């Protein structure tokens, strides 16, 4: 899907995210050209077959394999090699002809009887005489005169003209492999085609695709060499010469050399015959000119795109860019640009492109410095987005950055998380967004936790009547949200305008709109209450009884809330002092953590100061006081506020003189020594972990116990040692000791990553109550696996329930036949578990981790054609050695987490 807010790719097939979708057809093409080459090894079409083979591999994004194919083809089908092959073939042919004549004569003479030899020689003499007579008759010419027996100069001249037959420029050389034109005098006019099928040698196109492959492999110098060789070739074919500037533009775009890329694109537009491609190249040229700040040149390029492109989406995007550039280039005002875009919003043809128009309006608002309007436009862009994930990613990304700049980290975190859901991993900004999302996640969680706890504590101090009214407001708000969601769903079904063919247009009559009728009914009841259907219902002297006075609808609803409903709505509100104290303690911890995160992850010292000073103001002498003072000292120092830094320096020295924090402030060498000690402790842990990795479990436990003697206080290495020793105990003392040590870790080190891992391991071991929220899992260390990237790999499909294995085997075979027809994957089955009750399919073999992961990623993109998702199974690439460990242990427990940690990160 093209993202018109970013520079479009020159080649759509390079930018395609899911090459797996076309793999079956490409594999079929590879299979067919393989048959041709095997059955007709020497033919005019061999080079074409190799070209198609390389193209198919390129489109599958197997660039390394494609490079090997094109590299071989460039050597094998070069004109020099073909010429030599032709000369050799010609000599061999002549030799065979002479040899054949003499041998036939020998056979004839040997087969005849000696008595007929004289008769044969007489016949030959007669034949020679007849040929001589015919020659003489031919030589008379048109006049019938006998030619002179003397050689004339004219005769000799004629003979000289007839002799050099190979010097004519039209002559083609047929080697038996490909045909190559010797004429190289007419570049750009020579199409290289000859024969009844207008066949053109594929060598130059092979060179072109070889260059494209080298570009994708980031081998830019080699690509330039190949392109220069083509460009310098005076016998270059016209179609190759026409496409050469596009490849050169692609190369310079990769090198970020925009001026050169623009020049080549201008040439490409001139030479290209396909209007759709001309329009695309012009649009990209406009984007490049826009990036370089050439507003007028960009406007002209977008005009070209509008003129050439037959695609409405491209035309629309060109108009959009022209409206923006008209203002940027100084041809019009911002008001004119906004008016143009708003008129485009009203055009029914642009209904599905409203999200892009709002995004363009946001861009203008940002350039004018109106961030509020820009954020509103971006929100409208998201609200009007139908199915354009590329546009959605841009709006999310922009909003995330705007909230981040506004220091609204909760909203920024949410928008960056949303961006990751729709942003392709191939996007240059993916790592940036991922880092921001990671950095903000804990910050946003702590901000939300503080706000929630403060709210719950405020509610806890309310009167019963206030709590009842609040519960009603919450319930009313929830019902309103459900109503809006329901109406939005109805609108989606009934929405008029562009849509699927045959959708009827919605009537404008109000009574046909259920939403309008229901809304009117609610408004009536809110104002008039429940009324009987009768005449004169508003008059006080009407005949039948009714409701004389309007009812207080809201008061009636509040009174209908039961205490049980109120308790359910306000279920998290603390009811005792102990529950309040727990919330206060959690708030203190969150504020302390937040202050450190602001400084370490965002380098925002001012926010660090604000939150930590609020912590100490709200909760004097709290347990995090010393640590917060030290962080405040560092933050004020970085802010250049020496007086405040000195204030916190004095506080630490006076109140906590014997602590490490005080020593680090008073003794400059202590900090270096302290850090050296920390480094030594980390190295010692690494030594213990190496022993564990080598299977020396008893030694690892002994080393860990020795190392722990030098660690004091709440050291972060303590829970790590606890987990390491627990896993080792499982191998030395058995399952029961393993479980007990894990339980001890959970009790001793709550709220740590090691506690989460221990709980998940207990869940896997079948111990109840050990599950983690969110399904987080990590079985690392259950068995000893090794990571070998270049090793031979298998893929195992582990079924976690009783299944009909043969049926799934057929499904996997069908999938392989469609998407991996040429990979020759063999399927077998094994059973794991103590009772052989865990069925497993094994797919052999893959040469390394990369090829195995290509298979895995392909399955993720085509899950609908693989094993039914209602079946509980795990798809796991695994090295040959690790597969043997699984077989030996009769269990794949622990490998899933090993795979996630080593293959998916």
């Amino acid at each position: 899907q093209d993202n018109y807010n970013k520079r479009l790719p020159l080649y759509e097939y390079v930018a395609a995210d899911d090459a797996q979708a076309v793999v079956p057809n490409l594999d079929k093409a590879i299979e067919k050209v393989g048959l041709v080459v095997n059955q007709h090894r020497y033919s005019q079409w061999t080079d074409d077959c190799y070209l198609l083979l390389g193209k198919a591999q390129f489109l599958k994004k197997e660039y390394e394999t494609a490079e090997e194919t094109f590299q071989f083809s460039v050597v094998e089908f070069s004109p020099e090699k073909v010429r030599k092959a032709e000369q050799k073939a010609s000599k061999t042919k002549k030799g065979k002809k002479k040899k054949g004549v003499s041998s036939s004569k020998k056979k004839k003479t040997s087969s005849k009887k000696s008595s007929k030899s004289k008769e044969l020689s007489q016949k030959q003499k007669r034949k020679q005489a007849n040929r001589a007579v015919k020659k003489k008759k031919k030589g008379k010419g048109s006049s019938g005169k006998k030619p002179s027996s003397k050689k004339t100069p004219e005769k000799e001249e004629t003979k000289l003209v007839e002799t050099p037959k190979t010097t004519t420029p039209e002559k083609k050389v047929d080697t038996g492999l490909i045909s190559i034109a010797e004429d190289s005098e007419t570049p750009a006019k020579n199409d290289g085609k000859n024969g009844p099928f207008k066949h053109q040698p594929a060598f130059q196109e092979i060179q072109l695709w070889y260059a494209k492959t080298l570009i994708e492999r980031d081998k830019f110098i080699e690509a330039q060499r190949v392109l220069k060789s083509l460009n310098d070739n005076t016998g270059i074919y016209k179609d190759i010469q026409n496409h050469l500037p596009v490849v050169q533009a692609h190369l310079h775009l990769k090198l970020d050399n925009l001026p050169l890329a623009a020049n080549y694109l201008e040439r490409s537009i001139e030479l290209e015959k396909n209007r759709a491609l001309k329009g695309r190249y012009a649009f990209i040229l406009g984007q490049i000119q826009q990036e370089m700040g050439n507003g007028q040149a960009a406007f002209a390029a977008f005009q070209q795109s509008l003129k050439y492109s037959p695609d409405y989406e491209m035309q629309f995007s060109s108009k959009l860019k022209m409206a923006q550039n008209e203002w940027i280039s100084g041809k019009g005002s911002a008001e004119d640009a906004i008016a143009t875009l708003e008129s485009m919003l009203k055009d029914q043809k642009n209904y599905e492109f409203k999200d892009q128009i709002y995004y363009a309006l946001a861009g203008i608002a940002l350039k004018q410095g109106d961030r509020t309007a820009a954020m509103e436009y971006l929100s409208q862009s998201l609200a009007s987005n139908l199915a354009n994930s590329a546009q959605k990613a841009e709006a999310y990304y922009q909003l995330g950055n705007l909230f981040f700049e506004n220091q609204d980290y909760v909203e920024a975190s949410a928008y960056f998380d949303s961006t990751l859901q729709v942003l392709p991993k191939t996007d240059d900004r993916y790592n940036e967004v991922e880092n921001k999302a990671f950095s903000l996640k804990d910050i946003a969680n702590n901000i939300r936790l503080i706000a929630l706890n403060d709210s719950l504590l405020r509610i806890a101090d309310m009167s019963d009547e206030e709590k009842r009214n609040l519960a009603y407001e919450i319930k009313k708000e929830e019902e309103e949200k459900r109503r809006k969601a329901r109406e939005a769903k109805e609108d989606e079904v009934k929405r008029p305008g562009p849509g699927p063919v045959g959708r009827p247009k919605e009537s404008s009559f109000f009574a046909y709109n259920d939403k309008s009728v229901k809304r009117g009914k609610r408004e009536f009841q809110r104002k008039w209450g429940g009324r009987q259907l009768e005449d004169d219902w508003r008059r006080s002297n009407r005949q039948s009884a009714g409701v004389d006075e309007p009812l207080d609808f809201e008061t009636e609803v509040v009174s209908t809330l039961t205490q049980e409903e109120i308790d359910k709505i306000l279920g998290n509100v603390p009811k005792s002092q102990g529950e309040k104290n727990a919330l206060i303690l959690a708030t203190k911890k969150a504020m302390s953590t937040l202050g450190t995160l602001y400084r370490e992850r965002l380098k925002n010292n001012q926010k660090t100061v604000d939150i930590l000073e609020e912590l100490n103001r709200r909760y004097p002498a709290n347990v995090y006081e010393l640590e917060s003072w030290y962080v405040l000292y560092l933050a004020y120092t970085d802010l250049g506020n020496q007086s405040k830094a000195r204030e916190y320096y004095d506080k630490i020295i006076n109140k906590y003189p014997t602590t490490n924090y005080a020593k680090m402030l008073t003794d400059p060498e202590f900090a270096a020594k302290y850090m050296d000690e920390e480094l030594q402790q980390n190295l010692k842990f690494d030594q213990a972990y190496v022993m564990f990795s080598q299977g020396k479990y008893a030694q690892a436990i002994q080393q860990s116990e020795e190392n722990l003697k030098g660690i004091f206080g709440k050291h972060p290495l303590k829970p790590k040692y606890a987990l390491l020793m627990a896993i080792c105990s499982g191998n030395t003392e058995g399952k029961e000791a393993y479980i007990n040590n894990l339980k001890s870790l959970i009790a001793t080190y709550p709220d740590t990553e090691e506690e989460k891992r221990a709980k998940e391991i207990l869940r896997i071991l079948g111990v109840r109550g050990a599950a983690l929220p969110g399904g987080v899992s990590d079985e690392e260390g259950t068995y000893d696996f090794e990571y070998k990237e270049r090793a031979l790999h298998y893929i195992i499909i582990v079924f976690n329930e009783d299944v009909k294995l043969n049926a799934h085997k057929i499904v996997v075979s069908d999938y392989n036949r469609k998407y991996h027809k040429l990979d020759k994957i063999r399927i077998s089955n094994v059973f794991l578990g103590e009772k052989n009750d865990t069925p497993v399919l094994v797919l052999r073999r893959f040469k390394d981790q990369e090829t195995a992961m290509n298979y895995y990623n392909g399955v993720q993109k085509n899950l609908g054609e693989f094993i039914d998702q209602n079946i509980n199974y795990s798809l796991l690439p695994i090295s040959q050695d690790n597969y043997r460990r699984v077989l030996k242990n009769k269990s794949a427990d622990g490998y899933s987490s090993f795979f996630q940690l080593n293959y998916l990160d």
Side-chain angles (χ1 to χ4, degrees):
Q1 186 176 38
D2 279 326
N3 181 1
Y4 290 92
N5 296 303
K6 289 186 67 183
R7 190 197 302 156
L8 295 184
L10 278 170
Y11 300 111
E12 293 173 306
Y13 47 79
V14 172
D17 186 45
D18 185 14
Q20 196 74 18
V22 292
V23 162
N25 287 336
L26 295 174
D27 282 345
K28 197 167 187 178
I30 291 171
E31 187 179 7
K32 285 180 178 292
V33 296
L35 285 171
V36 174
V37 172
N38 287 329
Q39 294 181 17
H40 308 280
R41 194 168 293 276
Y42 301 104
S43 77
Q44 273 193 324
W45 304 97
T46 307
D47 56 338
D48 299 270
C49 289
Y50 275 97
L51 172 62
L52 284 174
L53 170 63
K55 281 184 178 182
Q57 291 164 340
F58 184 98
L59 295 176
K60 287 170 71 176
K61 296 198 173 183
E62 296 175 357
Y63 298 126
E64 187 176 356
T65 312
E67 182 187 351
E68 292 172 3
T69 300
F70 289 128
Q71 195 172 38
F72 167 81
S73 303
V74 164
V75 175
E76 186 69 16
F77 304 111
S78 65
E80 295 80 9
K81 186 164 183 177
V82 167
R83 201 169 288 117
K84 288 178 184 177
E86 182 274 335
Q87 291 170 356
K88 187 177 178 181
S90 179
K91 287 178 183 178
T92 307
K93 192 174 181 181
K94 286 178 182 177
K96 283 183 178 179
K97 190 173 182 181
K98 289 178 181 178
K99 189 176 178 182
V101 170
S102 61
S103 63
S104 64
K105 283 183 178 179
K106 286 179 183 178
K107 284 180 182 177
K108 285 180 181 179
T109 54
S110 64
S111 63
K112 300 293 182 181
K113 294 180 180 179
S114 57
S115 61
K116 292 186 177 181
S117 58
K118 291 180 180 179
E119 186 183 346
L120 180 62
S121 62
Q122 288 173 357
K123 284 183 179 180
Q124 287 176 344
K125 286 177 181 177
R126 283 197 298 270
K127 284 181 181 179
Q128 287 175 357
N130 290 335
R131 279 199 293 268
V133 170
K134 287 178 181 178
K135 250 186 182 179
K136 287 178 181 179
K137 286 181 179 179
K138 268 188 181 179
K140 287 180 179 180
S142 57
S143 62
K145 294 180 181 179
K146 289 183 181 180
S148 172
S149 60
K150 207 172 186 179
K151 288 184 179 179
T152 62
E154 289 82 1
K155 182 83 173 180
E156 289 175 5
E157 187 179 344
T158 306
K159 191 173 182 180
L160 287 171
V161 171
E162 290 175 353
T163 303
K165 291 181 180 179
T166 58
T167 59
T168 53
E170 289 80 8
K171 178 68 178 175
K172 311 293 179 186
V173 180
D174 190 353
T175 68
L177 293 174
I178 55 176
S179 295
I180 296 177
E182 289 189 341
D183 176 25
S184 58
E185 302 297 324
T186 54
K189 292 182 181 178
N190 176 21
D191 64 2
K193 294 179 180 177
N194 65 88
F197 297 106
K198 296 293 182 183
H199 178 254
Q200 172 181 283
F203 177 71
Q204 292 183 14
E205 192 174 355
I206 288 170
Q207 282 185 297
L208 200 70
W209 278 85
Y210 183 35
K212 288 164 74 170
T213 308
L214 289 171
I215 292 168
E216 296 310 315
R217 299 267 292 146
D218 293 338
K219 297 183 177 181
F220 302 123
I221 294 175
E222 292 178 50
Q224 284 175 318
R225 176 180 56 78
V226 176
L227 291 173
K228 186 178 186 303
S229 170
L230 266 174
N231 195 49
D232 293 345
N233 186 354
T234 54
I236 188 170
Y237 304 142
K238 188 175 180 181
D239 58 334
I240 301 298
Q241 191 178 58
N242 288 352
H243 193 65
L244 189 58
V246 187
V247 183
Q248 288 169 320
H250 183 50
L251 170 64
H252 288 290
L253 285 174
K254 283 273 190 176
L255 292 169
D256 207 28
N257 191 340
L258 299 186
L260 264 179
N263 291 339
Y264 281 119
L265 272 177
E266 287 172 0
R267 177 69 176 150
S268 302
I269 295 165
E270 291 175 16
L271 296 174
E272 183 57 58
K273 303 300 181 189
N274 184 301
R275 291 182 65 83
L277 287 177
K278 283 172 85 80
R280 186 177 188 86
Y281 297 158
F283 191 89
I284 296 169
L285 176 61
Q287 290 179 308
I288 292 171
Q289 296 289 7
Q290 196 173 40
E291 285 181 57
M292 294 192 294
N294 303 329
Q296 291 185 350
F299 186 88
F302 289 127
Q303 268 187 324
Q304 268 189 309
S305 179
L306 182 63
K307 174 185 173 183
Y308 291 129
S309 181
D311 178 57
Y312 182 74
E313 188 173 5
M314 180 73 77
Q315 292 174 4
F316 164 79
S317 299
S318 299
K319 289 178 183 177
L320 201 64
K321 293 291 185 182
M322 286 166 63
Q324 292 172 294
N325 275 279
E326 198 168 16
W327 166 51
I328 295 170
S329 61
K331 288 186 177 180
S333 64
E335 289 72 21
D336 293 336
I338 291 170
T340 302
L341 292 172
E342 286 179 345
S343 68
M344 291 175 72
L345 273 175
K346 296 173 185 176
D347 190 340
Q348 192 68 14
K349 288 188 297 183
N350 298 331
Y351 178 79
E352 61 180 301
F353 303 117
K354 280 186 174 182
D355 53 341
Q356 296 181 46
I357 300 173
Y358 282 123
Y359 186 84
L361 285 166
I364 294 174
L366 277 176
K367 286 188 179 295
Q368 290 182 305
D370 192 346
R371 296 168 67 89
T372 305
M375 294 170 81
E376 179 60 32
Y377 281 134
L378 289 170
S379 297
Q380 287 178 294
S381 175
L382 288 170
S384 56
N385 190 297
L386 299 178
N388 190 339
S389 59
Q391 180 61 54
K392 191 176 289 187
E394 295 299 323
Y396 278 138
Y397 177 74
Q398 287 286 359
L399 275 169
N401 279 324
L402 289 170
F403 278 114
F404 185 84
E405 290 165 10
N406 289 347
Q407 297 187 2
D408 188 343
Y409 297 127
V410 174
E411 290 294 333
S413 175
Y415 279 109
F416 282 132
D417 283 341
S418 298
T419 306
L420 282 180
Q421 300 302 314
V422 289
L423 190 70
K425 289 188 176 181
T426 53
D427 193 288
D428 295 337
R429 300 166 297 177
Y430 189 87
N431 288 337
E432 174 211 339
V433 175
E434 191 174 39
N435 290 335
K436 283 184 176 178
F438 170 77
S439 298
L440 291 174
K441 184 177 180 181
D442 292 335
I443 291 173
N445 286 342
N446 281 291
I447 292 173
R448 280 192 288 261
L449 179 63
I450 294 166
L452 174 63
N453 289 351
D454 288 347
S455 297
L456 292 173
L457 289 169
R458 280 197 300 272
I459 295 170
D461 294 334
M462 287 181 177
S463 65
D464 291 343
E465 186 62 28
E466 288 174 328
K467 288 179 181 178
R468 180 181 293 277
N469 290 333
L470 177 63
Y472 164 70
E473 291 296 331
I474 293 172
K475 184 176 181 180
K476 179 182 174 184
E477 186 178 341
E478 288 175 350
E479 288 178 351
E480 185 66 16
K481 283 180 181 177
R482 284 195 292 269
R483 181 185 65 77
K484 286 182 178 179
R486 187 171 58 251
E487 289 176 356
K489 194 172 181 180
E490 291 172 0
D491 284 347
E492 187 67 28
V493 175
K494 298 179 180 180
R495 181 183 288 132
V501 177
R503 176 187 285 181
K505 189 173 181 180
E506 184 184 13
S507 170
S508 59
F509 182 53
F510 83 93
Y512 290 162
N513 189 328
D514 290 340
K515 181 178 67 177
S516 299
V517 172
K518 289 177 181 177
R519 188 186 297 119
K521 186 176 180 180
R522 281 195 300 272
E523 291 295 328
F524 179 89
Q525 289 177 337
R526 184 174 290 113
K527 184 174 182 180
W528 299 100
R531 297 276 178 169
Q532 293 182 8
L533 183 60
E534 59 182 356
D535 294 334
D536 301 323
W537 60 270
R538 285 175 294 180
R539 295 177 60 180
S540 59
N541 60 348
R542 64 189 180 281
Q543 296 298 317
S544 59
V547 180
D548 293 332
E549 297 297 330
L551 297 175
D552 188 347
F553 183 70
E554 295 188 0
T555 305
E556 185 178 3
V557 173
V558 173
S559 64
T560 59
L561 282 176
T562 65
Q563 188 60 43
E564 185 179 354
E565 288 177 313
I566 295 171
D567 291 340
K568 186 176 180 181
I569 294 169
L570 305 179
N572 292 330
V573 177
K575 297 176 178 61
S576 65
Q577 189 58 45
E579 290 178 351
K580 289 182 181 179
N581 291 339
L583 288 181
I584 292 170
L585 184 61
T587 300
K588 291 177 184 177
K589 182 180 179 181
M591 293 176 80
S592 174
T593 304
L594 188 57
T596 306
L597 289 173
Y598 279 143
R599 176 176 166 75
E600 291 180 352
R601 293 191 181 177
L602 303 182
K603 312 300 180 190
N604 192 331
N605 287 296
Q606 188 56 55
K607 294 290 281 186
T608 296
V609 166
D610 293 343
I611 191 67
L612 292 182
E613 289 195 334
E614 184 184 351
L615 166 66
N616 293 321
R617 185 170 56 254
R618 285 172 59 176
Y619 308 106
N622 64 80
V623 70
Y624 303 103
E625 184 179 66
L626 172 60
E627 184 180 345
S628 69
W629 284 355
Y630 182 75
V631 176
L632 282 166
Y633 164 78
L634 296 176
Y636 274 121
T637 301
D638 288 346
L639 289 170
N641 192 335
Q642 296 302 324
S643 61
K644 291 294 291 184
R646 185 69 192 183
E647 178 186 331
Y648 283 103
Y649 176 95
D650 293 338
K651 283 184 176 182
I652 294 170
I653 298 303
N654 294 331
K655 190 170 182 179
Y656 303 101
T658 60
T659 62
N660 286 336
Y661 291 109
K663 290 177 182 178
M664 283 191 283
L665 292 177
T666 55
D667 184 4
E669 295 182 0
F670 179 83
K673 183 182 176 184
Y674 181 76
M675 294 306 295
D676 285 344
E677 287 178 359
E678 287 298 301
L679 179 61
Q680 290 297 323
Q681 292 292 353
N682 287 325
L683 290 173
K684 287 180 180 179
F685 177 80
D686 291 343
Q687 291 171 354
Y689 186 81
V690 168
M691 292 177 184
F692 158 73
S693 300
Q694 294 173 345
K696 301 174 182 177
Y697 304 116
Q699 289 177 265
I701 293 173
Q702 185 179 358
Q703 183 67 46
S704 298
E705 289 173 345
E706 187 67 28
N707 293 349
L708 281 168
K709 292 177 182 177
I711 297 177
F712 306 98
K714 294 181 179 181
H715 200 283
L717 284 177
K718 283 188 173 182
K720 295 182 184 297
Y721 275 117
L723 181 61
L724 182 67
M725 294 192 315
I727 295 170
C728 290
S729 69
N731 288 278
T732 58
E733 302 175 47
K735 185 176 179 180
E736 187 175 349
Y738 190 18
I739 291 171
N740 290 335
N741 286 327
L742 288 172
K743 288 181 176 178
S744 175
L745 185 157
I746 292 168
T748 310
Y749 303 106
D751 301 326
T752 61
E753 288 298 316
E754 289 72 25
E755 179 214 25
K756 292 179 181 179
R757 295 187 180 189
K759 283 183 176 180
E760 180 58 17
I761 293 170
L762 285 175
R763 186 185 67 78
I764 293 166
L765 294 173
V767 180
R768 296 184 65 183
L772 290 176
V776 179
S777 65
D778 187 356
E779 307 105 89
E780 181 185 12
T782 305
Y783 294 109
D784 185 19
F785 296 108
E786 294 182 15
Y787 177 68
K788 293 182 179 179
E789 185 178 1
R790 297 294 177 190
L792 192 69
H793 271 64
Y794 301 155
I795 285 180
I796 57 175
I797 304 171
V798 183
F799 293 92
N800 301 314
E801 57 183 84
D802 188 23
V803 296
K804 293 180 180 179
L805 200 58
N806 283 335
H808 297 300
K809 199 172 182 179
I810 292 169
V811 172
V812 175
S813 297
D814 290 343
Y815 175 86
N816 291 344
R817 195 175 297 112
K818 181 175 181 181
Y819 290 104
H820 297 273
K821 189 174 184 178
L822 304 181
D823 293 341
K824 297 179 181 178
I825 299 171
R826 293 183 291 113
I827 305 178
S828 59
N829 52 272
V830 296
F831 288 87
L832 301 178
E834 294 297 329
K835 299 179 181 179
N836 292 328
D837 55 354
T838 303
V840 178
L841 288 178
V842 184
L843 279 59
R844 295 182 173 88
R845 359 173 137 182
F846 302 86
K847 67 177 182 179
D848 54 24
Q849 174 201 321
E850 184 180 358
T851 51
M853 285 303 295
N854 286 341
Y855 184 97
Y856 175 87
N857 292 329
V859 171
Q860 306 312 310
K861 293 174 181 177
N862 299 283
L863 284 171
E865 298 180 65
F866 205 65
I867 297 170
D868 187 350
Q869 290 302 290
N870 294 320
I871 303 296
N872 187 3
Y873 72 92
S874 300
L875 180 72
L876 303 167
I878 185 169
S879 69
Q880 190 178 50
D881 289 344
N882 286 336
Y883 174 67
R884 288 169 180 164
R885 288 187 177 91
V886 166
L887 291 182
K888 181 182 176 182
N889 296 318
K890 288 192 172 184
S891 173
D893 288 348
Y895 183 76
S896 177
S897 185
F898 176 87
F899 165 71
Q900 291 175 22
L901 291 169
N902 293 281
Y903 287 70
L904 298 183
D905 285 352

